[in-house]
Amino acid sequence: MFLNREAISLKEAQRLLAELSVWPKTELKSARSAHGFVLAENVFAPFPIPAFRRSGYDGFGILACDNKNFPREFQVMETLGAGATLDKTLQPGECVRIMTGAKVPDDVAAVVMLEETENLSASRVRILNGSAKSNISEIGEEIKAKENVLSVGTRLNAGAISVLCAFGINEVTVYKKPRVAVVATGSELSRAATPETGTVYNSNGPLLAGLISENGGIVTGEYELTDDLDATRALFRRLTKENDLVVTTGGVSVGDFDFVARVAKEQTFLFNKLAMRPGSPTTAFVMNETPVVALSGNPSACFTGFWFFVEPLIQRFQGRETAAEEGKAILAHAYTKKNEFDRYLHGVLDACGTVTLDGHGQSSELASLYQANCFYQIPYGTSVSAGGSVKIWRLP
Amino acid sequence: MFLNREAISLKEAQRLLAELSVWPKTELKSARSAHGFVLAENVFAPFPIPAFRRSGYDGFGILACDNKNFPREFQVMETLGAGATLDKTLQPGECVRIMTGAKVPDDVAAVVMLEETENLSASRVRILNGSAKSNISEIGEEIKAKENVLSVGTRLNAGAISVLCAFGINEVTVYKKPRVAVVATGSELSRAATPETGTVYNSNGPLLAGLISENGGIVTGEYELTDDLDATRALFRRLTKENDLVVTTGGVSVGDFDFVARVAKEQTFLFNKLAMRPGSPTTAFVMNETPVVALSGNPSACFTGFWFFVEPLIQRFQGRETAAEEGKAILAHAYTKKNEFDRYLHGVLDACGTVTLDGHGQSSELASLYQANCFYQIPYGTSVSAGGSVKIWRLP
């Protein structure tokens, strides 16, 4: 079966997927339930912040004409806590005791910090030193009215939701999370894996399902398929109708039971061989106008393939690009093996910009994926010495 | 009130909190529902991986004595897909057609890749070249039985759960997420903020609640407190009984209505002034054996304070240390202002190790927190030029 596949580059494969049409859908959500969703609208400040002249300190508010000839005594007319207002006008020699965050009366020109004053009685204060600064945040000093405070494409996290709350915005239009089905293939998958029968537990399905959920997709179901062409075709037919995206693992190589590869060839076919390792048999096709990304059964290829091919699609359904950020880092250990193809390894990037080999060599790839926070590339035909620079993709 | 507070350093404040006793609790969870929880036990491989000799390729399995004198023809005895087994013994000149992932019969010494063979009929194959490598993954080659595959303290993500699934482990003991109450204080908080009344919407409460949920805590409730000493005391009394941790914002400065500061002084008091900006009035105390971290009402101080004081406590309840990682980065722009205190600014760290000023200068701090993926330090009395090195804390 398909022994003579045409290998294309990672970039070309990504381009083919990027050219597929996707139709992001939107929905209205309450601000507080929108955590993790992506904004489908720009958010503009409905009012400035501060919305009123705001005291930056606890102290005494005085008139402009009184901001001189210190030390001297003042009459304290009222105490203004945050949320309180003054309904009289100050006369020279009068002041208000005012707290941080409180609304400063219009005629007050400066707030003298508590530390620069001496309490004489409830209604008398001696101000020791004046203030060169007003200690007042003027209207719109932080955010102007109509300013674009959050942009379409922003994934709403704690900080973004606090911005919505600061403006009393209770509802926002967000992109619907895409519906994604996960299919693990292979008759070796079993709920009672034993060495005698050559069966194994399904770990790639849960890996992909977890990655999809972590990165903004909704997993509509996890399926296990035995090696059966008709069953494969039937399941794919149904899942591509019910989902925005289908992701599979296994069954894409050149073996007798690689039925995903066969179904792919029957549909709008994008690619089935990549000039990269791991994941060279990675396959993609379109069925019922729904993209199907078919990753190999190797855990490491599943992980890399998710980030290179699946996650960007999940983001596009939400009007975004991939959250994996290209950059460069220093490789902690030498990578001496020269590869025939570009090799992509997962690693751990520290906060000083050094990346450590991960799951390559002594430790298992399967058991190290959970630590990975980046990939890095070893270009074909090259080796990288310790301290050498590598291209990385930093994972979110 | 408390004008003469004693400022302590960030390190000292963190040490005081780190010395508090916390009692992590554990619970049993199904592997699939444990996403985001922290392992409270080491996980050892119950069997090796592979658990059986596993074919690495699609090809033909041959005996050791037959791995020479190519090209020549072989009799194909059976086709072994993954999950299938052979119940006969091969004789010289016989082979099995075997697929990637399938169990390799004990007497087979090597799998010759499909690409190196020529199909003659269903039962005859010509093997063109032998294989220097066996193309067989031996038992335990990836993971040995009893190997410690996941350690106590690991936060279970997609990759870690796939490891549990690979071993058919259905239940794990995890740390319970700590129960955290969030209190925003100040009579200025309102559901109908208007410039006329000097009221504002509560944005720090949602910020803290979001950060707590994002980082492994359970928010048991969000409360708003008006400036009332009795109400403050009563709410704190109740919340410290019902929660593992209480986090508050506002009311910790030297103002007349800073009642959190007063309640703090009545309890087992840890600190109420820090030699750092922002967040100098940050306060901490213990009430009913429950830590209360009282952050200032400044959004930026809330954010920084969460990461320096609250998040480490949330992690300790789950047997972990802070997930913020210390490192260093290059500052993209100059920071010319010299501060009297160490200043901590939030920023955006790119994948090349450069950090950009964020929310400092033109843009609002409130409206930039959502982009931050690190803090960096400007030590007191210094300025940093563009391209200079700064100490950073990379956020998870």
Side-chain angles (χ1 to χ4, degrees), chain A residues 32 35 97 214 222 256, chain B residues 32 35 97 158 214 222 256:
Chain A
R32 299 301 289 267
H35 192 281
R97 192 171 164 93
E214 284 171 5
E222 290 183 49
D256 298 355
Chain B
R32 299 302 288 267
H35 192 282
R97 190 172 165 93
E214 285 171 5
E222 290 183 48
D256 298 354

Side-chain angles (χ1 to χ4, degrees), chain B residues 234-365:
Chain B
L235 183 66
F236 279 38
R237 196 174 292 140
R238 175 161 78 80
L239 294 182
T240 51
K241 278 186 188 142
E242 294 170 355
N243 292 278
D244 296 310
L245 175 63
V246 176
V247 182
T248 78
T249 162
V252 288
S253 196
V254 295
D256 298 354
F257 306 109
D258 285 331
F259 295 125
V260 178
R262 285 205 219 175
V263 174
K265 272 290 194 188
E266 299 166 358
Q267 303 297 325
T268 309
F269 170 80
L270 297 173
F271 54 82
N272 65 2
K273 193 169 183 183
L274 302 179
M276 65 183 276
R277 294 287 184 280
S280 66
T282 304
T283 296
F285 60 100
V286 177
M287 190 170 182
N288 289 320
E289 302 191 3
T290 299
V292 180
V293 179
L295 304 169
S296 98
N298 169 290
S300 202
C302 253
F303 192 69
T304 323
F306 171 81
W307 283 105
F308 282 141
F309 310 115
V310 180
E311 188 265 353
L313 274 169
I314 291 176
Q315 301 306 338
R316 282 182 63 211
F317 277 102
Q318 296 165 88
R320 281 170 68 91
E321 298 191 340
T322 176
E325 193 185 351
E326 282 187 39
K328 59 182 170 50
I330 299 301
L331 197 59
H333 308 294
Y335 185 93
T336 51
K337 192 175 146 190
K338 287 188 186 178
N339 300 290
E340 278 182 85
F341 296 93
D342 290 346
R343 181 168 286 274
Y344 297 89
L345 297 160
H346 58 278
V348 178
L349 176 70
D350 73 14
C352 295
T354 299
V355 66
T356 310
L357 290 162
D358 185 19
H360 195 83
Q362 59 275 68
S363 73
S364 152
E365 303 229 325

Side-chain angles (χ1 to χ4, degrees), chain B residues 134-176:
Chain B
S134 75
N135 294 328
I136 298 167
S137 294
E138 296 295 336
I139 292 170
E141 196 173 297
E142 291 178 32
I143 300 172
K144 292 188 176 38
K146 299 185 183 163
E147 191 178 315
N148 181 199
V149 284
L150 293 172
S151 294
V152 57
T154 299
R155 192 172 293 282
L156 294 167
N157 59 10
I161 286 173
S162 84
V163 174
L164 297 176
C165 291
F167 290 112
I169 296 170
N170 295 320
E171 280 190 328
V172 279
T173 305
V174 297
Y175 289 109
K176 281 191 176 180

Side-chain angles (χ1 to χ4, degrees), chain B residues 10 47 66 162 190 259 283 323 359 394:
Chain B
L10 169 62
F47 52 79
D66 274 340
S162 84
S190 167
F259 295 125
T283 296
R394 187 178 65 170

Side-chain angles (χ1 to χ4, degrees), chain A residues 3 32 35 47 49 51-52 58 79 81-85 97 99 103 114-115 142-143 149-150 154 157-160 162-163 165-168 187-188 195-203 206-207 209-211 214 222 227 253-258 325-328 349-352 364 366-367 370 373 392 394, chain B residues 3 32 35 47 49 51-52 58 79 81-85 97 99 103 114-115 142-143 149-150 154 157-160 162-163 165-168 187-188 195-203 206-207 209-211 214 222 227 253-258 325-328 349-352 364 366-367 370 373 392 394:
Chain A
L3 278 175
R32 299 301 289 267
H35 192 281
F47 53 79
I49 285 184
F52 47 83
D58 301 315
T79 295
T85 51
R97 192 171 164 93
M99 300 298 129
K103 179 176 177 168
L114 226 49
E115 289 84 340
E142 290 178 32
I143 301 173
V149 284
L150 293 172
T154 300
N157 60 10
S162 84
V163 174
C165 290
F167 290 111
S187 293
E188 72 275 27
E196 291 72 30
T197 55
T199 50
V200 297
Y201 291 107
N202 174 15
S203 60
L207 173 68
L211 289 171
E214 284 171 5
E222 290 183 49
D227 296 328
S253 195
V254 296
D256 298 355
F257 306 109
D258 286 331
E325 192 185 352
E326 283 189 39
K328 59 182 170 48
L349 177 70
D350 73 13
C352 295
S364 151
L366 166 67
Y370 77 94
N373 61 4
I392 64 161
R394 187 177 65 168
Chain B
L3 279 175
R32 299 302 288 267
H35 192 282
F47 52 79
I49 286 184
F52 47 84
D58 301 315
T79 296
T85 50
R97 190 172 165 93
M99 300 299 129
K103 179 176 177 168
L114 225 49
E115 289 84 341
E142 291 178 32
I143 300 172
V149 284
L150 293 172
T154 299
N157 59 10
S162 84
V163 174
C165 291
F167 290 112
S187 292
E188 72 275 26
E196 291 72 30
T197 54
T199 50
V200 297
Y201 291 107
N202 174 15
S203 61
L207 173 68
L211 289 170
E214 285 171 5
E222 290 183 48
D227 295 328
S253 196
V254 295
D256 298 354
F257 306 109
D258 285 331
E325 193 185 351
E326 282 187 39
K328 59 182 170 50
L349 176 70
D350 73 14
C352 295
S364 152
L366 166 67
Y370 77 93
N373 62 4
I392 64 161
R394 187 178 65 170

Side-chain angles (χ1 to χ4, degrees), chain B residues 12-34:
Chain B
E12 174 69 3
Q14 289 185 308
R15 191 186 61 76
L16 287 169
L17 286 170
E19 279 176 359
L20 294 180
S21 299
V22 301
W23 294 271
K25 302 173 197 117
T26 63
E27 61 188 318
L28 201 64
K29 281 198 99 71
S30 77
R32 299 302 288 267
S33 69

